[in-house]
Amino acid sequence: MPAESHLSAASSDGPRHVALIMDGNGRWAEARGLPRAMGHREGVQALKRTVEAAPRLGIRCLTVFGFSTENWSRPAEEVSDLMGLVRSYVASDLKRLERAGVRVRVLGRRAGLPDDIIAIIDRAEATTAHNDKFLLQVAFNYGGRADIVDAARRHVDAVLAGRATGPLDEESLGLGLSTAGAPPVDVIVRTSGEHRLSNFLLWEAAYAELVYQDVLWPDYGAEGLADAVAQYRNRDRRFGGRAPLAEAAAPALAAG
Ligand code: IPE
Ligand code: IPE
Ligand code: MG
């Protein structure tokens, strides 16, 4: 049963789906007097460590934010460095992911990406499509608002083409999102001390727990992820319902 169908849920046995805003590469590099590109390169190593550590923590799905629809506004050189990360990550890790049973899915708009990046993304998805042990979703040229707009357009197109007649509701719109089919997002983690979503998973964030960590992304790995999971497990998810009164608290309330 999906977690969101509970009125109230303890988080002790999750999270199944962790979403990560991998932030702080630039500050990591600047603090060392290095070019920002070095921070992005180290960020890829952190991503590898984190993906490897996730299954050991009981996580079945990771969604990571690699490039936002707003990141195009950075200087061309940095945009090109960030595109290069896809090439190096896939070139150096795809075989291991494939063998480890990881299915890779890339969220976000393909239009606007360089042709070779689109080919790399398509290959990574195709080679791992049969895997079902773990789902790694990489949000690249992704924006939460754009994704909702695209989902609404898909619904309208389907209606106009006679392929859909049903109403536009939360379920039918959700089916058009790029995350459709993935388990509900349990927790969104952001590194680097910033407290905002920056257009990540806006729809899916509805009842996700939010965890903010000060660590800069290139320093992230098993330890940071375990800490985020521990914070999540201390949360009480209510989904708009009511938390059952803790046994110890009930008499005190009655007396007071
Ligand atoms: C995150 O690091 C990587 C991407 C946005 C792709 P930043 O490049 O945003 O690093 P800071 O936030 O400037 O430190
Ligand atoms: C969010 O980080 C995007 C990614 C991590 C890919 P940003 O660094 O782009 O976000 P802002 O600009 O600080 O909000
Ligand atoms: Mg940033």
Side-chain angles (χ1 to χ4, degrees):
M1 192 191 290
E4 282 171 9
S5 64
H6 292 274
L7 279 182
S8 162
S11 316
S12 53
D13 52 353
R16 262 201 311 166
H17 185 169
V18 175
L20 277 162
I21 302 176
M22 312 184 286
D23 198 17
N25 294 352
R27 278 163 284 166
W28 183 92
E30 280 156 20
R32 286 163 180 74
L34 297 168
R36 291 175 63 90
M38 291 297 291
H40 296 316
R41 208 179 295 172
E42 282 304 312
V44 172
Q45 300 307 318
L47 176 59
K48 286 187 198 172
R49 290 194 294 270
T50 306
V51 172
E52 271 193 67
R56 296 199 292 273
L57 291 161
I59 297 165
R60 293 291 311 267
C61 175
L62 260 190
T63 302
V64 299
F65 206 2
F67 189 87
S68 76
T69 46
E70 289 72 42
N71 286 148
W72 292 107
S73 66
R74 296 192 181 195
E77 191 190 334
E78 183 163 358
V79 168
S80 139
D81 288 339
L82 291 167
M83 295 291 148
L85 297 182
V86 177
R87 296 186 190 97
S88 67
Y89 180 59
V90 170
S92 68
D93 217 26
L94 185 59
K95 280 229 157 57
R96 192 196 68 77
L97 293 171
E98 195 193 344
R99 272 193 239 113
V102 177
R103 179 179 162 211
V104 179
R105 192 183 194 197
V106 180
L107 316 179
R109 288 181 174 164
R110 299 286 202 268
L113 293 174
D115 289 343
D116 78 303
I117 299 287
I118 295 175
I120 287 170
I121 287 173
D122 288 346
R123 184 165 62 89
E125 288 189 336
T127 3
T128 62
H130 59 282
N131 281 342
D132 61 4
K133 275 203 191 126
F134 191 90
L135 177 62
L136 173 64
Q137 303 191 114
V138 182
F140 201 81
N141 194 21
Y142 173 90
R145 288 180 171 180
D147 209 51
I148 294 168
V149 168
D150 289 350
R153 282 188 185 144
R154 272 185 202 112
H155 183 87
V156 171
D157 289 347
V159 169
L160 292 177
R163 283 179 281 112
T165 50
L168 179 59
D169 56 19
E170 292 190 13
E171 196 187 344
S172 58
L173 191 109
L175 289 172
L177 294 170
S178 60
T179 52
V185 177
D186 294 309
V187 56
I188 298 179
V189 178
R190 183 171 190 147
T191 61
S192 89
E194 306 293 353
H195 294 198
R196 56 179 171 270
L197 289 176
S198 301
N199 203 12
F200 189 43
L201 299 178
L202 298 183
W203 178 278
E204 297 81 351
Y207 271 102
E209 296 297 320
L210 304 178
V211 167
Y212 298 108
Q213 297 176 296
D214 286 336
V215 56
L216 300 174
W217 178 253
D219 290 326
Y220 209 75
E223 201 183 322
L225 189 61
D227 171 70
V229 165
Q231 290 195 48
Y232 170 84
R233 288 182 182 162
N234 269 326
R235 304 283 175 88
D236 175 25
R237 303 185 76 186
R238 292 194 281 277
F239 300 102
R242 274 176 51 172
L245 284 180
E247 275 176 45
L253 282 179

